[in-house]
Amino acid sequence: MKFIYLSLYLFISSVFTINAQEILSPNKKIKVIIASKKATDDSCYGQVHFKILYKNKLEYIEVMPNSPMGILREDQQFTDNLKLVNESKTKQISQKYEMICGKQKMCNNFGTEKVFKYVNSNNQPLNIAFRVYNDGVAFRYEFTNKTNSLINIVDESTTYVFPPATNRWLQSYTESYEDFFPFSDTGKTANSNNMEWGFPALFKVNNNPVWVLISEANISENNCATKLNNSKNSDEYKVNYASPRDDFKQNGIKTILPWNSQWHTLIIGELSDIVESTLITDVSEPNKLKETNWIKPGAVSWIYWANNHGSKDYEKVITYIDLAVDMKWPYFLIDWEWDAMSNGGNIIDAVNYAKSKRIKPIMWYNSGTSWLEPTPVDHLLTAEKRAKEFAWLNKIGVYGIKVDFFAGDQQDMMKYYIDILKDAAKYHIMVNFHGATVPRGWARTYPNLMTTEAVYGAEWYNNKPILTSKAAEHNTTLPFTRNVIGSMDYTPVTFSNSQHPHITSFAHELALSVVFESGFQHFADKPEAYNSLPPDPKEFLKNVPVNWDKTKLIDGYPGEKIIIARKKGNRWYLGGLNGKDELKTLKINFEFLDKGIFELKIIKDGKDDKSFDTEVMQVQKGDSLDVKCLSKGGFVAILEKLDTVKANKQN
């Protein structure tokens, strides 16, 4: 009987499936099959579906079954009424580029592209462009005809379908993207009313060793951001446009044609492929800035976390400038309420003091679009206001801005982000987006974007006690989810307590400086917490880079553990985290090293969670090392070739 049902299903599928085409990644490991399913047997129109297969050893595994595609405009739809009329030749894309911030300096946009040309039943054109990479898939919709009036694009029928029992780590959608990524194998939460999910979304496909991270990239002023919804079927994740808000009633996107959607991205492969992928920037527009030598990533001292407030108090402000001097960090962030600074000086005095110490100030701004209580508000809302403010920042000697409290993911917010980046670049000002959407590839297009929050970070020790118990698990999930798609302003490495305590070990906290990548790395604790560190961890924090030449995942699993290696110049920096509430041994496999003997200096958990233990040894490619970690513990390490170490000592 099962055979009869299967034969009938295959017969029906073959009857109603037309125009099946496939695209392979350059290394042939990923295969995408695109086909149309006819609504009726005698129709030449139907709905486009795509299927993804992944080659594991000798056979292809179905990663994503047939998944619907399509897009809707207010004037007409392009969903189940599409007919394939033409297709481009398959072409190879190979475009090398350099990133100023991020996990890898030299990148390669290397993949296979094919464009499928459809018309709907009104004979209106729609292109669907696919790119298949060695580590994933990207596709987008393109309206190629021209209009003089605005068109309203209101929805997509794009749906990502997964086999039942697929494991998933999803964040419930919030405008600030500040929540956990809890594990689920059902696609449901304890709150069954919440079935909207934010990007990125991580899946482990059924019982197969294949992972998928879904997000999107290359959003322009003519796009809104999207989210996922699986309310109709827990294994089917439909793409939804950002919801209208009270002061912006627009549904979807309004634009003239021609028009492109953003790239819908799926990073696919082993966990190392996920963590090391640069797909988000690969598909994004190249750098649009003529000069970039003024863009300098770096560590930042930050006043807010330890004081649960802004920068009103001049005397406190200068202690953080002095901290930056002591720790050799190039930047200091003057946070909210700097316009009301008193107790010995004002904002100009603070900036001048920083300059006298050769520390570069960064200043906080309220975007003026959402929570309007912290000041200064409404300095950036128009091009005229931005020009005035940025000229003033140039005059007084400020190098960057942190812009906070954005209102959502609608089209006007996407345009506002990009306008800030464009205008700030004219004045050589670097940017940190806080209370903001997740990275969308803008760091390649506008490399003055140093980092973005969009994470449930250490700031939440100020707000709720929940991070205390969940931080270790959360910290070992973020490298596989949020931090994959771009720099992450978590505000890490805290040893004292804010409003609510942390119970991760000191070595775990130290390791966050390597495990988490951010072009501006805001070290959040109070001066005395860093000044009282033992010599080895203190020296490590003085010199740890914030942007990297290369990144390698050594070992890990979401919510349990991670060992990550990042290279800068001739040195490898390792960070390891134990996400569990029990003692755990993490194994470092040194297979990633070049030939030669390396000196390894490791700083790990000591006898208790507030102490460190340091060891120095020699290792080489092929060796391995067991590192015993406390509950919620961790370690950092520096690797350098022995002959380089000796040469440096002689000099």
Side-chain angles (χ1 to χ4, degrees):
M1 184 63 71
K2 287 181 180 179
F3 175 77
I4 293 173
Y5 285 144
L6 178 60
S7 299
L8 181 61
Y9 169 77
L10 293 174
F11 171 75
I12 293 172
S13 297
S14 64
V15 169
F16 292 109
T17 300
I18 55 175
N19 301 320
Q21 301 287 338
E22 68 178 44
I23 314 172
L24 288 169
S25 61
N27 65 3
K28 308 295 191 291
K29 290 194 75 171
I30 297 176
K31 180 189 294 186
V32 179
I33 300 174
I34 301 100
S36 297
K37 288 195 172 182
K38 296 186 290 184
T40 61
D41 188 26
D42 59 351
S43 174
C44 60
Y45 296 95
Q47 183 158 37
V48 180
H49 289 68
F50 74 102
K51 178 192 294 188
I52 299 177
L53 307 176
Y54 180 82
K55 194 171 188 179
N56 181 42
K57 296 181 180 178
L58 297 178
E59 62 180 1
Y60 281 102
I61 298 169
E62 187 174 76
V63 173
M64 188 172 290
N66 280 327
S67 298
M69 305 186 75
I71 194 164
L72 292 88
R73 300 193 330 218
E74 194 174 62
D75 61 327
Q76 57 193 300
Q77 69 179 39
F78 298 78
T79 55
D80 58 357
N81 60 341
L82 295 175
K83 178 175 69 173
L84 181 67
V85 294
N86 202 351
E87 61 188 68
S88 71
K89 292 182 178 179
T90 301
K91 73 173 184 178
Q92 188 176 86
I93 297 168
S94 185
Q95 181 186 52
K96 294 182 179 180
Y97 64 96
E98 184 175 337
M99 292 292 294
I100 296 176
C101 296
K103 69 183 79 172
Q104 185 164 313
K105 183 178 181 180
M106 301 308 300
C107 304
N108 190 5
N109 177 23
F110 179 63
T112 305
E113 181 180 78
K114 194 166 191 177
V115 180
F116 299 90
K117 300 180 180 182
Y118 299 90
V119 293
N120 70 0
S121 50
N122 294 329
N123 205 36
Q124 293 299 301
L126 170 70
N127 287 0
I128 304 179
F130 270 90
R131 291 182 182 177
V132 185
Y133 293 82
N134 290 339
D135 62 352
V137 175
F139 63 88
R140 72 180 183 186
Y141 300 102
E142 302 171 352
F143 289 122
T144 56
N145 55 327
K146 295 181 180 180
T147 62
N148 295 320
S149 57
L150 290 173
I151 297 293
N152 192 184
I153 304 167
V154 295
D155 196 10
E156 291 187 19
S157 53
T158 307
T159 304
Y160 302 106
V161 179
F162 285 94
T166 289
N167 294 340
R168 55 208 92 186
W169 290 260
L170 305 177
Q171 182 185 93
S172 295
Y173 177 77
T174 64
E175 291 179 350
S176 64
Y177 294 85
E178 295 179 52
D179 210 333
F180 296 110
F181 288 83
F183 166 79
S184 170
D185 59 4
T186 64
K188 299 177 181 178
T189 64
N191 178 8
S192 58
N193 294 324
N194 183 15
M195 305 299 283
E196 286 193 327
W197 312 98
F199 292 126
L202 179 66
F203 301 83
K204 182 178 183 294
V205 181
N206 214 333
N207 295 317
N208 297 310
V210 186
W211 298 76
V212 180
L213 187 77
I214 300 177
S215 196
E216 59 185 7
N218 202 44
I219 285 184
S220 74
E221 300 95 330
N222 291 319
N223 304 125
C224 66
T226 70
K227 52 193 171 183
L228 299 175
N229 187 306
N230 67 336
S231 58
K232 291 186 178 180
N233 184 317
S234 59
D235 295 318
E236 298 182 2
Y237 292 83
K238 181 186 174 300
V239 171
N240 280 0
Y241 284 169
S243 304
R245 62 177 192 273
D246 290 344
D247 65 336
F248 189 74
K249 303 295 186 182
Q250 177 179 308
N251 182 31
I253 301 150
K254 289 189 177 179
T255 182
I256 60 171
L257 306 184
W259 172 88
N260 295 332
S261 75
Q262 62 267 54
W263 287 102
H264 301 285
T265 61
L266 303 96
I267 303 172
I268 301 168
E270 300 176 3
L271 267 181
S272 57
D273 296 312
I274 304 296
V275 172
E276 297 165 19
S277 175
T278 59
L279 183 62
I280 298 299
T281 51
D282 289 348
V283 300
S284 294
E285 290 292 320
N287 174 22
K288 293 187 176 182
L289 307 186
K290 292 182 180 179
E291 297 180 19
T292 58
N293 57 0
W294 53 273
I295 302 173
K296 305 290 185 184
V300 189
S301 66
W302 186 43
I303 193 172
Y304 171 83
W305 186 84
N307 297 277
N308 197 28
H309 225 283
S311 305
K312 278 186 175 183
D313 191 326
Y314 173 79
E315 290 298 326
K316 283 186 178 179
V317 166
I318 62 173
T319 65
Y320 281 82
I321 297 171
D322 292 338
L323 171 65
V325 174
D326 293 341
M327 296 299 293
K328 299 180 181 178
W329 298 336
Y331 298 104
F332 161 64
L333 173 62
I334 306 173
D335 216 281
W336 66 12
E337 299 176 323
W338 52 258
D339 54 332
M341 191 182 299
S342 60
N343 190 27
N346 58 26
I347 182 61
I348 301 299
D349 297 319
V351 169
N352 286 337
Y353 182 80
K355 290 193 295 183
S356 74
K357 299 290 185 176
R358 296 186 178 180
I359 298 300
K360 299 176 180 178
I362 302 168
M363 283 168 51
W364 181 96
Y365 285 88
N366 190 321
S367 78
T369 63
S370 179
W371 186 25
L372 303 181
E373 292 180 7
T375 59
V377 178
D378 190 19
H379 286 218
L380 305 178
L381 278 172
T382 67
E384 293 76 19
K385 289 180 178 180
R386 289 191 292 273
K388 179 181 178 181
E389 196 71 16
F390 296 159
W392 176 67
L393 294 179
N394 279 173
K395 180 181 177 181
I396 65 174
V398 172
Y399 290 79
I401 57 174
K402 172 183 175 182
V403 190
D404 209 343
F405 305 130
F406 288 88
D409 279 338
Q410 298 80 12
Q411 183 182 359
D412 68 327
M413 286 295 104
M414 300 299 107
K415 183 178 185 303
Y416 190 26
Y417 287 119
I418 294 169
D419 286 345
I420 290 172
L421 291 171
K422 287 179 177 178
D423 290 345
K426 296 173 187 175
Y427 294 86
H428 290 190
I429 290 173
M430 294 170 284
V431 178
N432 168 15
F433 287 137
H434 215 65
T437 196
V438 293
R440 312 280 179 175
W442 294 328
R444 180 184 177 190
T445 314
Y446 304 102
N448 57 322
L449 176 58
M450 309 306 290
T451 190
T452 303
E453 185 187 23
V455 65
Y456 201 99
E459 185 178 314
W460 278 90
Y461 284 117
N462 279 310
N463 303 330
K464 293 180 180 180
I466 189 172
L467 190 60
T468 296
S469 60
K470 291 190 174 183
E473 179 183 354
H474 183 51
N475 293 346
T476 50
T477 303
L478 291 173
F480 304 103
T481 52
R482 164 61 185 86
N483 211 181
V484 172
I485 63 171
S487 288
M488 182 177 75
D489 193 18
Y490 179 99
T491 58
V493 190
T494 57
F495 304 107
S496 67
N497 291 324
S498 183
Q499 306 304 302
H500 303 284
H502 75 79
I503 54 176
T504 49
S505 77
F506 277 21
H508 180 112
E509 288 295 315
L510 185 66
L512 299 181
S513 64
V514 176
V515 174
F516 294 162
E517 180 273 313
S518 181
F520 277 160
Q521 190 73 284
H522 290 83
F523 293 125
D525 214 334
K526 56 179 70 75
E528 51 267 34
Y530 296 118
N531 291 333
S532 61
L533 287 172
D536 287 329
K538 186 174 183 179
E539 193 65 22
F540 183 88
L541 275 181
K542 286 182 178 181
N543 297 292
V544 63
V546 304
N547 61 323
W548 305 97
D549 297 336
K550 187 181 292 186
T551 292
K552 299 289 290 182
L553 176 67
I554 307 304
D555 191 20
Y557 196 88
E560 295 184 8
K561 61 181 178 178
I562 186 165
I563 305 174
I564 202 162
R566 302 191 191 270
K567 191 176 187 182
K568 183 71 171 181
N570 295 322
R571 290 181 174 179
W572 283 98
Y573 293 78
L574 275 64
L577 302 176
N578 175 14
K580 307 298 286 185
D581 296 337
E582 58 193 34
L583 298 173
K584 196 174 190 70
T585 297
L586 301 182
K587 180 183 287 291
I588 307 173
N589 186 324
F590 294 103
E591 193 60 38
F592 66 95
L593 292 177
D594 297 330
K595 291 182 179 179
I597 305 298
F598 286 76
E599 181 178 276
L600 171 74
K601 183 174 185 178
I602 186 167
I603 306 170
K604 55 186 180 178
D605 290 319
K607 61 181 183 300
D608 57 45
D609 61 354
K610 292 180 174 54
S611 62
F612 299 93
D613 187 19
T614 302
E615 287 187 63
V616 178
M617 64 189 75
Q618 294 178 10
V619 298
Q620 60 184 328
K621 183 181 181 72
D623 288 348
S624 63
L625 177 66
D626 289 342
V627 184
K628 294 181 179 179
C629 295
L630 298 176
S631 165
K632 302 180 176 69
F635 70 87
V636 295
I638 300 176
L639 278 159
E640 192 168 14
K641 275 193 173 178
L642 194 59
D643 53 359
T644 305
V645 175
K646 290 178 179 178
N648 290 337
K649 288 180 179 178
Q650 289 174 356
N651 293 332

